[in-house]
Amino acid sequence: MDTQAFRRTLHHSNNYNRRGFGRANEVASTLENAYQCDLIQQIRANNDKLTQGRLTIHLAEAFGFCWGVERAVAMAYETRRHFPKERIWITNEIIHNPSVNRHLRQMGVLFVPIMEGRKDFSAVEQGDVVILPAFGATVDEMQLLNQRQCTIVDTTCPWVSKVWSAVERHKKRDFTSIIHGKVKHEETLATSSFAGTYLVVLNLEEARVVCDYILSGGDRQAFLERFKHACSLEFDPDRDLVRLGVANQTTMLKTETEAIGRLFEQALLRRYGPTSLKEHFLAFNTICDATQERQDAMFSLVEEKLDLMVVIGGYNSSNTTHLQEIAMERGILSLHIDAPERIGPGNAIEHKPLGQNLERLSPFLPEGNITVGVTSGASTPDRVVGETIRALFEIANDGSPDERF
């Protein structure tokens, strides 16, 4: 189908909204009370550092809610205010943060259930209101909701929409879209639904496998078996790795996305020569500014003398796990938690090592004066970060936090 034409038609539908309902002022105080934190403002005003007793907290220069996330959450609150009696659904988590999604459930917002690994829209009826999350939704999901004449509230981040436009341009020129992302992530699923022919690569290792095939060929069946869940229907590496465009899931590690782009450019340059490169390679900058800012801030923070790094965000948050990777690459102990409740009781923490299950570490704060770096993913409210910092101060100072905090 012509997905670009479908989007245009949907955007002009009377049942579609992507600008909110003019109720921003009505929900502003509710959002501030739920997600803002005076302690964070205090640390910000003190050059991103605060010492209490033996513990110094050093905040990343950029962390937490980005503009796209703030917009999505505000639109969800506006939607509830604008439709006080209607059934409201979200096709997935609005963002990858447990406290935000819990608040929405408490407001009576329903989440489309997942049955046997697939979303079950059977309970969504004509006249229901359906919110598309910040990650977006697939073309099939939007078609279904449009056909059922649901009111669609689209909070898709504009940076995600920018990636969709990039893969649309690939498709229009008969280029295969190489998508740097996680195959099962909602954003990558949505992006691939707008692409024509596509192949998803997770990291540099997988990109090298593809580039080796471009340059030297290989076992076609083995290639297809490896990428069977990461490519478009009837993908043929012998046919579909000739003209390539690169895009990415907006929350991936910026440096890796850039390295993958260079890798494919060099492979196609070697295969087809410099005079023909434009006929075989396309690249658009689809790296999200907010993701880049948070990663750059993390690179700066890990240059400081840190005893420990605490990274706060949903365990299914891609941009959060990439922040954790940056600290690990510097050899800094990095503890990923999704909520302040993971800290304590006592000098203990329940955290998620990269790619592993939750585990408990006790003690986790060493003796003596210590400096702890703190950052959070783009879906984490300031209040969650502030409550985490309070918990760290309390443990470091024997359960006696400064009353000012």
mmCIF file of all heavy atoms in Angstrom, residues 228-264:
data_model
loop_
_atom_site.group_PDB
_atom_site.id
_atom_site.type_symbol
_atom_site.label_atom_id
_atom_site.label_comp_id
_atom_site.label_asym_id
_atom_site.label_seq_id
_atom_site.Cartn_x
_atom_site.Cartn_y
_atom_site.Cartn_z
ATOM 1 N N LYS A 228 15.948 -13.993 9.921
ATOM 2 C CA LYS A 228 14.584 -14.343 9.518
ATOM 3 C C LYS A 228 13.516 -13.517 10.227
ATOM 4 O O LYS A 228 12.416 -13.333 9.694
ATOM 5 C CB LYS A 228 14.334 -15.834 9.734
ATOM 6 C CG LYS A 228 14.414 -16.300 11.171
ATOM 7 C CD LYS A 228 14.192 -17.810 11.235
ATOM 8 C CE LYS A 228 14.328 -18.322 12.681
ATOM 9 N NZ LYS A 228 14.162 -19.800 12.746
ATOM 10 N N HIS A 229 13.791 -13.025 11.420
ATOM 11 C CA HIS A 229 12.816 -12.202 12.140
ATOM 12 C C HIS A 229 13.119 -10.711 12.018
ATOM 13 O O HIS A 229 12.471 -9.889 12.674
ATOM 14 C CB HIS A 229 12.789 -12.593 13.617
ATOM 15 C CG HIS A 229 12.390 -14.010 13.861
ATOM 16 N ND1 HIS A 229 11.174 -14.518 13.445
ATOM 17 C CD2 HIS A 229 13.053 -15.039 14.456
ATOM 18 C CE1 HIS A 229 11.091 -15.793 13.787
ATOM 19 N NE2 HIS A 229 12.211 -16.135 14.387
ATOM 20 N N ALA A 230 14.096 -10.379 11.182
ATOM 21 C CA ALA A 230 14.562 -8.988 11.121
ATOM 22 C C ALA A 230 14.513 -8.406 9.718
ATOM 23 O O ALA A 230 15.176 -7.401 9.442
ATOM 24 C CB ALA A 230 15.991 -8.907 11.655
ATOM 25 N N CYS A 231 13.735 -9.020 8.840
ATOM 26 C CA CYS A 231 13.707 -8.517 7.466
ATOM 27 C C CYS A 231 12.290 -8.574 6.909
ATOM 28 O O CYS A 231 11.396 -9.231 7.459
ATOM 29 C CB CYS A 231 14.657 -9.327 6.574
ATOM 30 S SG CYS A 231 14.272 -11.078 6.455
ATOM 31 N N SER A 232 12.102 -7.886 5.799
ATOM 32 C CA SER A 232 10.802 -7.844 5.143
ATOM 33 C C SER A 232 10.493 -9.183 4.476
ATOM 34 O O SER A 232 11.380 -10.017 4.255
ATOM 35 C CB SER A 232 10.776 -6.718 4.104
ATOM 36 O OG SER A 232 11.909 -6.793 3.255
ATOM 37 N N LEU A 233 9.232 -9.373 4.171
ATOM 38 C CA LEU A 233 8.777 -10.609 3.541
ATOM 39 C C LEU A 233 9.491 -10.822 2.204
ATOM 40 O O LEU A 233 9.661 -9.884 1.418
ATOM 41 C CB LEU A 233 7.271 -10.528 3.316
ATOM 42 C CG LEU A 233 6.553 -11.816 2.900
ATOM 43 C CD1 LEU A 233 6.626 -12.847 4.015
ATOM 44 C CD2 LEU A 233 5.100 -11.504 2.555
ATOM 45 N N GLU A 234 9.962 -12.053 1.989
ATOM 46 C CA GLU A 234 10.642 -12.446 0.747
ATOM 47 C C GLU A 234 11.941 -11.675 0.520
ATOM 48 O O GLU A 234 12.370 -11.451 -0.619
ATOM 49 C CB GLU A 234 9.709 -12.281 -0.462
ATOM 50 C CG GLU A 234 8.467 -13.177 -0.369
ATOM 51 C CD GLU A 234 7.571 -13.060 -1.590
ATOM 52 O OE1 GLU A 234 7.875 -12.241 -2.469
ATOM 53 O OE2 GLU A 234 6.563 -13.791 -1.645
ATOM 54 N N PHE A 235 12.570 -11.271 1.610
ATOM 55 C CA PHE A 235 13.863 -10.600 1.491
ATOM 56 C C PHE A 235 14.880 -11.535 0.846
ATOM 57 O O PHE A 235 14.979 -12.707 1.192
ATOM 58 C CB PHE A 235 14.355 -10.174 2.882
ATOM 59 C CG PHE A 235 15.630 -9.384 2.861
ATOM 60 C CD1 PHE A 235 15.594 -8.006 2.758
ATOM 61 C CD2 PHE A 235 16.866 -10.017 2.940
ATOM 62 C CE1 PHE A 235 16.770 -7.256 2.743
ATOM 63 C CE2 PHE A 235 18.036 -9.279 2.920
ATOM 64 C CZ PHE A 235 17.992 -7.899 2.818
ATOM 65 N N ASP A 236 15.649 -11.008 -0.095
ATOM 66 C CA ASP A 236 16.671 -11.777 -0.802
ATOM 67 C C ASP A 236 17.993 -11.012 -0.723
ATOM 68 O O ASP A 236 18.131 -9.951 -1.340
ATOM 69 C CB ASP A 236 16.269 -11.983 -2.261
ATOM 70 C CG ASP A 236 17.264 -12.852 -3.034
ATOM 71 O OD1 ASP A 236 18.387 -13.080 -2.532
ATOM 72 O OD2 ASP A 236 16.913 -13.300 -4.147
ATOM 73 N N PRO A 237 18.960 -11.505 0.040
ATOM 74 C CA PRO A 237 20.212 -10.752 0.186
ATOM 75 C C PRO A 237 20.963 -10.545 -1.124
ATOM 76 O O PRO A 237 21.687 -9.547 -1.284
ATOM 77 C CB PRO A 237 21.029 -11.592 1.175
ATOM 78 C CG PRO A 237 20.456 -12.976 1.071
ATOM 79 C CD PRO A 237 19.003 -12.782 0.775
ATOM 80 N N ASP A 238 20.803 -11.455 -2.069
ATOM 81 C CA ASP A 238 21.485 -11.296 -3.351
ATOM 82 C C ASP A 238 20.871 -10.170 -4.181
ATOM 83 O O ASP A 238 21.552 -9.532 -4.984
ATOM 84 C CB ASP A 238 21.440 -12.600 -4.145
ATOM 85 C CG ASP A 238 22.203 -13.712 -3.447
ATOM 86 O OD1 ASP A 238 23.245 -13.407 -2.835
ATOM 87 O OD2 ASP A 238 21.747 -14.867 -3.470
ATOM 88 N N ARG A 239 19.597 -9.931 -3.978
ATOM 89 C CA ARG A 239 18.887 -8.885 -4.739
ATOM 90 C C ARG A 239 18.766 -7.577 -3.958
ATOM 91 O O ARG A 239 18.842 -6.487 -4.537
ATOM 92 C CB ARG A 239 17.489 -9.412 -5.089
ATOM 93 C CG ARG A 239 16.592 -8.429 -5.830
ATOM 94 C CD ARG A 239 15.163 -8.931 -5.830
ATOM 95 N NE ARG A 239 14.606 -8.976 -4.465
ATOM 96 C CZ ARG A 239 13.643 -9.807 -4.072
ATOM 97 N NH1 ARG A 239 13.142 -10.698 -4.911
ATOM 98 N NH2 ARG A 239 13.201 -9.769 -2.825
ATOM 99 N N ASP A 240 18.595 -7.680 -2.636
ATOM 100 C CA ASP A 240 18.164 -6.532 -1.837
ATOM 101 C C ASP A 240 19.279 -5.835 -1.061
ATOM 102 O O ASP A 240 19.011 -4.923 -0.272
ATOM 103 C CB ASP A 240 17.063 -6.964 -0.859
ATOM 104 C CG ASP A 240 15.823 -7.471 -1.590
ATOM 105 O OD1 ASP A 240 15.528 -6.929 -2.674
ATOM 106 O OD2 ASP A 240 15.168 -8.408 -1.096
ATOM 107 N N LEU A 241 20.524 -6.232 -1.276
ATOM 108 C CA LEU A 241 21.641 -5.555 -0.624
ATOM 109 C C LEU A 241 22.501 -4.801 -1.631
ATOM 110 O O LEU A 241 23.706 -4.665 -1.482
ATOM 111 C CB LEU A 241 22.504 -6.571 0.146
ATOM 112 C CG LEU A 241 21.840 -7.231 1.347
ATOM 113 C CD1 LEU A 241 22.767 -8.261 1.986
ATOM 114 C CD2 LEU A 241 21.413 -6.190 2.385
ATOM 115 N N VAL A 242 21.832 -4.284 -2.660
ATOM 116 C CA VAL A 242 22.527 -3.572 -3.736
ATOM 117 C C VAL A 242 22.361 -2.060 -3.590
ATOM 118 O O VAL A 242 23.307 -1.289 -3.801
ATOM 119 C CB VAL A 242 22.003 -4.038 -5.112
ATOM 120 C CG1 VAL A 242 22.629 -3.214 -6.245
ATOM 121 C CG2 VAL A 242 22.299 -5.520 -5.311
ATOM 122 N N ARG A 243 21.159 -1.630 -3.224
ATOM 123 C CA ARG A 243 20.849 -0.207 -3.051
ATOM 124 C C ARG A 243 20.311 -0.030 -1.633
ATOM 125 O O ARG A 243 19.233 -0.549 -1.309
ATOM 126 C CB ARG A 243 19.821 0.254 -4.088
ATOM 127 C CG ARG A 243 20.368 0.224 -5.515
ATOM 128 C CD ARG A 243 19.240 0.181 -6.550
ATOM 129 N NE ARG A 243 18.312 1.299 -6.444
ATOM 130 C CZ ARG A 243 18.494 2.490 -7.001
ATOM 131 N NH1 ARG A 243 19.619 2.728 -7.704
ATOM 132 N NH2 ARG A 243 17.601 3.444 -6.898
ATOM 133 N N LEU A 244 21.057 0.692 -0.794
ATOM 134 C CA LEU A 244 20.747 0.719 0.636
ATOM 135 C C LEU A 244 20.619 2.137 1.173
ATOM 136 O O LEU A 244 21.396 3.022 0.831
ATOM 137 C CB LEU A 244 21.847 -0.002 1.435
ATOM 138 C CG LEU A 244 22.181 -1.431 1.037
ATOM 139 C CD1 LEU A 244 23.306 -1.968 1.924
ATOM 140 C CD2 LEU A 244 20.955 -2.328 1.127
ATOM 141 N N GLY A 245 19.634 2.315 2.038
ATOM 142 C CA GLY A 245 19.491 3.542 2.815
ATOM 143 C C GLY A 245 19.536 3.192 4.292
ATOM 144 O O GLY A 245 19.031 2.144 4.698
ATOM 145 N N VAL A 246 20.150 4.039 5.087
ATOM 146 C CA VAL A 246 20.320 3.755 6.519
ATOM 147 C C VAL A 246 19.400 4.650 7.339
ATOM 148 O O VAL A 246 19.302 5.861 7.101
ATOM 149 C CB VAL A 246 21.790 3.964 6.946
ATOM 150 C CG1 VAL A 246 21.950 3.757 8.453
ATOM 151 C CG2 VAL A 246 22.699 2.995 6.186
ATOM 152 N N ALA A 247 18.712 4.037 8.293
ATOM 153 C CA ALA A 247 17.882 4.763 9.256
ATOM 154 C C ALA A 247 18.110 4.119 10.617
ATOM 155 O O ALA A 247 18.876 3.166 10.745
ATOM 156 C CB ALA A 247 16.407 4.711 8.855
ATOM 157 N N ASN A 248 17.435 4.635 11.639
ATOM 158 C CA ASN A 248 17.676 4.057 12.962
ATOM 159 C C ASN A 248 16.485 4.238 13.883
ATOM 160 O O ASN A 248 15.651 5.123 13.681
ATOM 161 C CB ASN A 248 18.913 4.696 13.629
ATOM 162 C CG ASN A 248 18.673 6.127 14.026
ATOM 163 O OD1 ASN A 248 18.430 6.970 13.177
ATOM 164 N ND2 ASN A 248 18.745 6.416 15.320
ATOM 165 N N GLN A 249 16.406 3.364 14.869
ATOM 166 C CA GLN A 249 15.535 3.577 16.015
ATOM 167 C C GLN A 249 16.126 4.763 16.765
ATOM 168 O O GLN A 249 17.319 4.786 17.068
ATOM 169 C CB GLN A 249 15.539 2.324 16.877
ATOM 170 C CG GLN A 249 14.672 2.370 18.105
ATOM 171 C CD GLN A 249 14.826 1.085 18.913
ATOM 172 O OE1 GLN A 249 14.775 -0.005 18.359
ATOM 173 N NE2 GLN A 249 15.042 1.232 20.210
ATOM 174 N N THR A 250 15.326 5.761 17.078
ATOM 175 C CA THR A 250 15.866 7.039 17.545
ATOM 176 C C THR A 250 16.578 6.947 18.882
ATOM 177 O O THR A 250 17.326 7.866 19.246
ATOM 178 C CB THR A 250 14.750 8.095 17.666
ATOM 179 O OG1 THR A 250 13.748 7.621 18.573
ATOM 180 C CG2 THR A 250 14.131 8.382 16.311
ATOM 181 N N THR A 251 16.385 5.862 19.626
ATOM 182 C CA THR A 251 16.981 5.748 20.957
ATOM 183 C C THR A 251 18.251 4.915 20.977
ATOM 184 O O THR A 251 18.783 4.621 22.052
ATOM 185 C CB THR A 251 15.961 5.128 21.931
ATOM 186 O OG1 THR A 251 15.490 3.891 21.391
ATOM 187 C CG2 THR A 251 14.784 6.059 22.152
ATOM 188 N N MET A 252 18.758 4.538 19.812
ATOM 189 C CA MET A 252 19.980 3.749 19.782
ATOM 190 C C MET A 252 21.197 4.632 20.081
ATOM 191 O O MET A 252 21.117 5.858 20.066
ATOM 192 C CB MET A 252 20.144 3.058 18.424
ATOM 193 C CG MET A 252 19.013 2.096 18.086
ATOM 194 S SD MET A 252 18.780 0.773 19.305
ATOM 195 C CE MET A 252 20.095 -0.350 18.822
ATOM 196 N N LEU A 253 22.318 3.972 20.347
ATOM 197 C CA LEU A 253 23.541 4.698 20.654
ATOM 198 C C LEU A 253 24.013 5.445 19.415
ATOM 199 O O LEU A 253 24.276 4.845 18.369
ATOM 200 C CB LEU A 253 24.608 3.718 21.142
ATOM 201 C CG LEU A 253 25.849 4.302 21.802
ATOM 202 C CD1 LEU A 253 25.498 5.073 23.066
ATOM 203 C CD2 LEU A 253 26.842 3.188 22.135
ATOM 204 N N LYS A 254 24.123 6.756 19.537
ATOM 205 C CA LYS A 254 24.457 7.618 18.401
ATOM 206 C C LYS A 254 25.750 7.193 17.709
ATOM 207 O O LYS A 254 25.811 7.083 16.474
ATOM 208 C CB LYS A 254 24.579 9.058 18.891
ATOM 209 C CG LYS A 254 25.246 10.012 17.922
ATOM 210 C CD LYS A 254 25.677 11.281 18.633
ATOM 211 C CE LYS A 254 26.612 12.093 17.761
ATOM 212 N NZ LYS A 254 27.191 13.248 18.486
ATOM 213 N N THR A 255 26.797 6.944 18.499
ATOM 214 C CA THR A 255 28.092 6.608 17.906
ATOM 215 C C THR A 255 28.020 5.301 17.121
ATOM 216 O O THR A 255 28.689 5.152 16.092
ATOM 217 C CB THR A 255 29.170 6.497 18.997
ATOM 218 O OG1 THR A 255 28.718 5.600 20.026
ATOM 219 C CG2 THR A 255 29.449 7.861 19.623
ATOM 220 N N GLU A 256 27.197 4.366 17.600
ATOM 221 C CA GLU A 256 27.078 3.096 16.883
ATOM 222 C C GLU A 256 26.296 3.277 15.585
ATOM 223 O O GLU A 256 26.648 2.703 14.548
ATOM 224 C CB GLU A 256 26.411 2.044 17.767
ATOM 225 C CG GLU A 256 26.422 0.660 17.145
ATOM 226 C CD GLU A 256 26.017 -0.421 18.124
ATOM 227 O OE1 GLU A 256 25.007 -0.234 18.827
ATOM 228 O OE2 GLU A 256 26.705 -1.457 18.182
ATOM 229 N N THR A 257 25.230 4.068 15.623
ATOM 230 C CA THR A 257 24.477 4.337 14.394
ATOM 231 C C THR A 257 25.385 4.971 13.343
ATOM 232 O O THR A 257 25.364 4.593 12.161
ATOM 233 C CB THR A 257 23.287 5.275 14.687
ATOM 234 O OG1 THR A 257 22.343 4.601 15.518
ATOM 235 C CG2 THR A 257 22.586 5.694 13.403
ATOM 236 N N GLU A 258 26.204 5.934 13.767
ATOM 237 C CA GLU A 258 27.112 6.584 12.825
ATOM 238 C C GLU A 258 28.143 5.600 12.281
ATOM 239 O O GLU A 258 28.449 5.618 11.078
ATOM 240 C CB GLU A 258 27.815 7.752 13.520
ATOM 241 C CG GLU A 258 26.884 8.904 13.853
ATOM 242 C CD GLU A 258 27.552 9.992 14.668
ATOM 243 O OE1 GLU A 258 28.542 9.692 15.370
ATOM 244 O OE2 GLU A 258 27.090 11.150 14.618
ATOM 245 N N ALA A 259 28.648 4.726 13.148
ATOM 246 C CA ALA A 259 29.637 3.734 12.710
ATOM 247 C C ALA A 259 29.016 2.747 11.722
ATOM 248 O O ALA A 259 29.659 2.345 10.734
ATOM 249 C CB ALA A 259 30.206 2.996 13.918
ATOM 250 N N ILE A 260 27.770 2.362 11.968
ATOM 251 C CA ILE A 260 27.082 1.441 11.058
ATOM 252 C C ILE A 260 26.878 2.102 9.694
ATOM 253 O O ILE A 260 27.076 1.476 8.644
ATOM 254 C CB ILE A 260 25.743 0.988 11.678
ATOM 255 C CG1 ILE A 260 26.016 -0.014 12.806
ATOM 256 C CG2 ILE A 260 24.815 0.375 10.628
ATOM 257 C CD1 ILE A 260 24.800 -0.366 13.645
ATOM 258 N N GLY A 261 26.494 3.367 9.704
ATOM 259 C CA GLY A 261 26.340 4.087 8.436
ATOM 260 C C GLY A 261 27.637 4.127 7.642
ATOM 261 O O GLY A 261 27.651 3.889 6.434
ATOM 262 N N ARG A 262 28.744 4.421 8.331
ATOM 263 C CA ARG A 262 30.050 4.461 7.650
ATOM 264 C C ARG A 262 30.431 3.084 7.117
ATOM 265 O O ARG A 262 31.010 2.969 6.026
ATOM 266 C CB ARG A 262 31.128 4.972 8.608
ATOM 267 C CG ARG A 262 31.010 6.461 8.939
ATOM 268 C CD ARG A 262 32.265 6.970 9.629
ATOM 269 N NE ARG A 262 32.474 6.310 10.921
ATOM 270 C CZ ARG A 262 32.001 6.768 12.074
ATOM 271 N NH1 ARG A 262 31.264 7.866 12.100
ATOM 272 N NH2 ARG A 262 32.252 6.134 13.206
ATOM 273 N N LEU A 263 30.112 2.047 7.891
ATOM 274 C CA LEU A 263 30.451 0.681 7.482
ATOM 275 C C LEU A 263 29.755 0.322 6.171
ATOM 276 O O LEU A 263 30.384 -0.216 5.241
ATOM 277 C CB LEU A 263 30.043 -0.288 8.592
ATOM 278 C CG LEU A 263 30.631 -1.695 8.542
ATOM 279 C CD1 LEU A 263 32.141 -1.667 8.762
ATOM 280 C CD2 LEU A 263 29.974 -2.568 9.619
ATOM 281 N N PHE A 264 28.473 0.629 6.069
ATOM 282 C CA PHE A 264 27.739 0.322 4.836
ATOM 283 C C PHE A 264 28.214 1.202 3.684
ATOM 284 O O PHE A 264 28.329 0.729 2.544
ATOM 285 C CB PHE A 264 26.235 0.486 5.062
ATOM 286 C CG PHE A 264 25.604 -0.707 5.711
ATOM 287 C CD1 PHE A 264 25.296 -0.707 7.056
ATOM 288 C CD2 PHE A 264 25.346 -1.855 4.970
ATOM 289 C CE1 PHE A 264 24.731 -1.818 7.667
ATOM 290 C CE2 PHE A 264 24.778 -2.974 5.565
ATOM 291 C CZ PHE A 264 24.473 -2.958 6.915
#
